[in-house]
């Protein structure tokens, strides 16, 4: 039992922000489950691009698929490989899912980033991937864009677990939390079960500090703003969690809870520090709280085992967090504008990674369209 296991006692789950065929086959994920209490896995186009686009680990499976499906489209070739990885990860995590009675043990697979601004196409893609993977402990990742919000509600309504991604502002988080509730309410109104439907809201952290810190370094806000370096992202996350606590105490949520609904957990994403001046466990140490998830890259996970600190930090100094957010606004750091930019950049980044991924797969023999 180590520091990562200690987080479970505080009500926080640890998920791995990584998936790779070789890692799964060689027992890497199982080891983390057994030794560190890991309870979930996330993927995204950037992760798959690194896994599939480099080396030859996937070549044998790809060749077999191509032989059975001559002339298959590149997107279909990618989905075949991704689905195999996701199924393998889901099967490893299935005992966790069963032990925790569907409260955890999930693996996430993202809809195509090309669909981020298309509600109907996102809904259709979510249903297609859900059927193809065919595992109850799958979560479909849908971006929390304006087009994604109604897609989230519809996907939950269809009984599909959802990991909402690319959330940077409290307001965006509130929208997707209410979309989750809307989906559950529609199911409940039809008399359909809601007790085994799960969702997380992936709230990004380090990218906010990177943008805000760059503004401060460029002179925005003057000397007064320097005291806010490395503080805005954590404050933003704490205020999101404070809203969550208020919301689950509301009559609207309690009506669903009485029917067995699971809370939509806040998931802290982008938790590897990007500024070398900050301690490498910063976004784990400061965001520990009940009913949350921290999705952690392997390097940050290794660091936390050695020098992480565990405490109920998410609910500490919330009034200080409110002051940080008020001060950044008064100093012109424009967190709202930063959050809007980061959503656009996130969609573009995942689309570019998807371009690279499909290009790498298309280039592998035998060539396909």
């Amino acid at each position: 039992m180590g520091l990562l296991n200690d987080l479970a006692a505080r009500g926080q789950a640890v998920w791995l922000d990584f998936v790779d065929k070789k890692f799964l086959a060689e027992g890497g994920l199982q080891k983390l489950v057994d030794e560190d209490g890991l309870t979930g896995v996330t993927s995204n186009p950037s992760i798959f691009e690194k896994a599939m686009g480099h080396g030859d680990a996937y070549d044998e499976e790809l060749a077999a698929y191509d032989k059975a499906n001559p002339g298959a489209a590149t997107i279909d070739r990618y989905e075949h490989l991704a689905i195999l990885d996701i199924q393998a990860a889901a099967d490893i995590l299935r005992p966790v899912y069963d032990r925790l009675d569907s409260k955890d043990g999930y693996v996430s697979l993202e809809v195509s980033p090309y669909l981020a601004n298309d509600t109907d196409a996102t809904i259709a893609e979510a249903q297609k991937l859900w059927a193809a993977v065919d595992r109850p402990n799958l979560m479909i990742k849908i971006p929390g864009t304006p087009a994604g919000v109604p897609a989230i509600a519809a996907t939950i309504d269809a009984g599909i677990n959802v990991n909402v991604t690319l959330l940077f502002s409290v307001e965006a988080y509130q929208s997707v939390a209410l979309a989750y509730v809307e989906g559950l309410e529609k199911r409940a109104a039809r008399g359909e079960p809601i007790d085994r439907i799960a969702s997380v809201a992936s709230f990004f952290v380090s990218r906010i500090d990177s943008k805000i810190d760059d503004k401060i370094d460029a002179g925005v806000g003057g000397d007064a703003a320097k005291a806010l370096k490395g503080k805005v992202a954590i404050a933003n996350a704490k205020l999101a969690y404070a809203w969550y606590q208020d919301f689950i105490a509301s009559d609207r949520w309690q009506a669903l809870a009485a029917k067995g609904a699971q809370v939509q957990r806040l998931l802290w994403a982008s938790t590897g520090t990007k500024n070398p001046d900050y301690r490498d466990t910063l976004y784990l140490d400061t965001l520990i709280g009940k009913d949350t998830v921290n999705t952690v890259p392997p390097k940050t996970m290794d660091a936390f085992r050695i020098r992480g600190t565990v405490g109920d930090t998410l609910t500490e100094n919330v009034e200080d967090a409110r002051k940080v957010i008020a001060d950044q606004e008064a100093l012109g750091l424009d967190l709202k504008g930063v959050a809007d930019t980061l959503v656009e950049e996130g969609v573009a980044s995942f689309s570019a990674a998807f371009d690279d991924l499909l290009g790498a797969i298309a280039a592998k023999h035998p060539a396909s369209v």
Side-chain angles (χ1 to χ4, degrees):
M1 300 293 287
L3 289 171
L4 287 164
N5 299 89
D6 291 344
L7 293 174
R10 306 284 178 167
Q12 183 168 76
V14 177
W15 289 8
L16 179 68
D17 195 23
F18 176 77
V19 67
D20 175 272
K21 171 183 165 60
K22 185 177 180 182
F23 174 76
L24 296 172
E26 293 181 350
L29 177 57
Q30 187 66 60
K31 186 172 187 288
L32 293 176
V33 171
D34 294 341
E35 296 182 4
D36 292 312
L38 190 88
T39 56
V41 170
T42 55
S43 67
N44 61 48
S46 296
I47 290 172
F48 274 128
E49 193 277 326
K50 291 180 177 68
M52 297 178 189
H54 307 278
D56 58 5
Y58 290 82
D59 288 2
E60 185 176 339
E61 283 178 351
L62 184 58
Y65 178 79
D66 288 340
K67 184 175 181 180
N69 301 273
T74 301
I75 186 69
D76 294 330
R77 301 167 85 206
Y78 151 72
E79 286 183 359
H80 172 73
L81 297 176
I83 286 166
L84 289 176
D85 274 2
I86 295 298
Q87 287 175 327
D91 291 344
I92 292 167
L93 288 165
R94 182 62 186 268
V96 176
Y97 174 84
D98 291 339
R99 173 171 57 83
L100 298 177
D101 193 28
S102 79
K103 302 297 189 293
D104 214 330
Y106 289 93
V107 57
S108 298
L109 176 61
E110 191 148 353
V111 297
S112 167
Y114 301 153
L115 307 178
N117 297 310
D118 189 326
T119 300
D120 291 341
T122 296
I123 294 169
E125 173 108 336
Q127 293 172 339
K128 181 185 76 169
L129 293 175
W130 175 257
V133 174
D134 192 25
R135 298 292 190 275
N137 56 329
L138 172 70
M139 280 189 176
I140 300 296
K141 289 181 81 172
I142 296 175
T145 56
V149 171
I152 292 158
T155 303
I156 291 295
D157 184 15
I160 297 171
N161 308 311
V162 175
N163 177 342
V164 184
T165 189
L166 290 179
L167 298 174
F168 295 92
S169 72
V170 175
E171 293 77 15
Y173 160 58
Q174 291 168 346
S175 294
V176 304
L178 295 175
Y180 174 59
V181 167
E182 179 185 332
L184 292 177
E185 288 173 338
K186 287 183 177 179
R187 284 183 65 81
R190 296 194 303 270
E192 296 184 27
I194 60 173
D195 58 313
R196 298 183 72 83
I197 298 173
S199 181
V200 295
S202 296
F203 200 88
F204 283 59
V205 187
S206 66
R207 296 185 197 181
I208 289 174
D209 275 343
S210 294
K211 288 284 192 187
I212 294 289
D213 288 359
D214 284 348
K215 286 191 164 194
I216 294 171
D217 290 341
V220 177
D223 288 342
K226 293 178 181 177
L228 300 182
K229 286 193 70 171
K231 294 182 179 180
V232 174
I234 293 166
N236 194 40
K238 287 189 175 191
L239 296 193
Y241 188 72
W243 182 88
Y244 159 82
Q245 289 181 301
D246 289 342
F247 182 69
I248 62 169
S250 69
D251 291 343
R252 184 177 184 185
W253 174 255
Q254 288 300 315
L256 288 169
K259 297 174 183 177
Q262 299 184 32
V263 296
Q264 182 190 54
R265 291 176 293 170
L266 269 160
L267 178 152
W268 312 124
S270 185
T271 55
T273 50
K274 294 176 170 55
N275 187 331
D277 293 336
Y278 300 155
R279 67 184 185 277
D280 48 7
T281 61
L282 175 65
Y283 300 117
L284 277 74
D285 297 340
T286 54
L287 297 174
I288 300 169
K290 184 180 178 183
D291 294 330
T292 61
V293 181
N294 203 312
T295 180
V296 190
K299 185 177 178 182
T300 307
M301 191 173 287
D302 292 341
F304 190 82
R305 283 194 200 94
I306 299 167
R307 51 187 167 270
T309 56
V310 178
D312 295 319
T313 53
L314 189 53
T315 53
E316 292 177 350
N317 305 317
V318 175
E319 288 311 309
D320 289 346
R322 295 189 196 281
K323 185 175 186 306
V324 166
I325 298 303
D327 287 349
Q328 68 77 29
E329 183 175 356
L331 292 168
L333 293 173
D334 189 21
L335 175 59
K336 183 183 184 304
V338 165
D340 291 343
T341 297
L342 283 167
V343 173
E344 294 174 5
E345 290 182 354
V347 171
S349 175
F350 283 162
S351 294
F354 209 52
D355 289 343
D356 292 343
L357 170 59
L358 296 181
I361 291 173
K364 289 183 179 290
H365 179 79
S368 184
V369 294

